[in-house]
Amino acid sequence: LAVHPSVAANAVRELIAVAKAKPGALNYASGAAGSTVHLATELLKSMAGVNIVRIPYKGAAPRITAVLSGEAQMTIDNVGFVTPHVKTGKLRALAVTSAEPSALFPGLPTMAASGLPGYEAVGLTGLFSSGKPPAAIINRLNQEIVRFLNRPEVKQTFFDRGGEVVAGSPEQFAAMINSDIAKWGKLIRDTGIKAD
């Protein structure tokens, strides 16, 4: 979660207070309807009970440019897109959206620890297959993929691009997907989000 320096908030609680004091006065730069960037901010709005106006942009560059210029006051975006601007002071980072603190942004608190208990919004990347391959094939593929992803140079490549490797079992991945389907499905239904 990053804000334009003009926003009078140095923490998530302060941002929520600003949004509650002036409903609809803050704008957030969003991706396409249903994108992680969009849903993550809608989750913040829903959990905090605030009215922050969505401005959709086609791509990360226009989104970040909007926040840098002050056209939008905030965004929840990939750490790789906001970090260079936080380092130069052009944006202020308030929190990470993962459940645990992130090595990508040491010292930055989580949203959950910053006043929104239970908040988590992360993008997942994984491999899927069509049909129903035998469990032995899935398990072997998983072992090889996990071995590859845990190589130090591979982890570093992901880290350099703003990602963290979480290599687990097919069952763990399925549980994460099912949890996300339930959480995001409820948010979409509750807020009436429609595709652009």
Side-chain angles (χ1 to χ4, degrees), residues 9-18 94 112-116:
N10 291 305
V12 174
R13 283 183 182 90
E14 293 172 3
L15 179 67
I16 291 169
V18 168
L94 301 185
S114 300
L116 293 173

Side-chain angles (χ1 to χ4, degrees), residues 10-70:
N10 291 305
V12 174
R13 283 183 182 90
E14 293 172 3
L15 179 67
I16 291 169
V18 168
K20 285 187 174 185
K22 297 180 180 178
L26 292 176
N27 297 322
Y28 77 92
S30 170
S35 65
T36 303
V37 172
H38 177 213
L39 294 178
T41 311
E42 291 299 321
L43 182 62
L44 161 71
K45 290 171 52 179
S46 174
M47 291 179 75
V50 294
N51 176 12
I52 302 171
V53 179
R54 175 180 179 244
I55 303 176
Y57 294 91
K58 293 183 179 181
R63 242 184 356 254
I64 299 303
T65 300
V67 183
L68 289 169
S69 72

Side-chain angles (χ1 to χ4, degrees), residues 11-12 21 31 68 72-73 78 88 103-104 117 129 134 148-149 161 173 184 188:
V12 174
L68 289 169
Q73 289 77 45
N78 182 289
T88 62
L104 291 164
S129 71
F148 174 78
L149 289 173
R161 291 186 170 103
F173 188 48
W184 299 124
I188 289 166

Side-chain angles (χ1 to χ4, degrees), residues 11 23 71 195:
E71 178 178 286

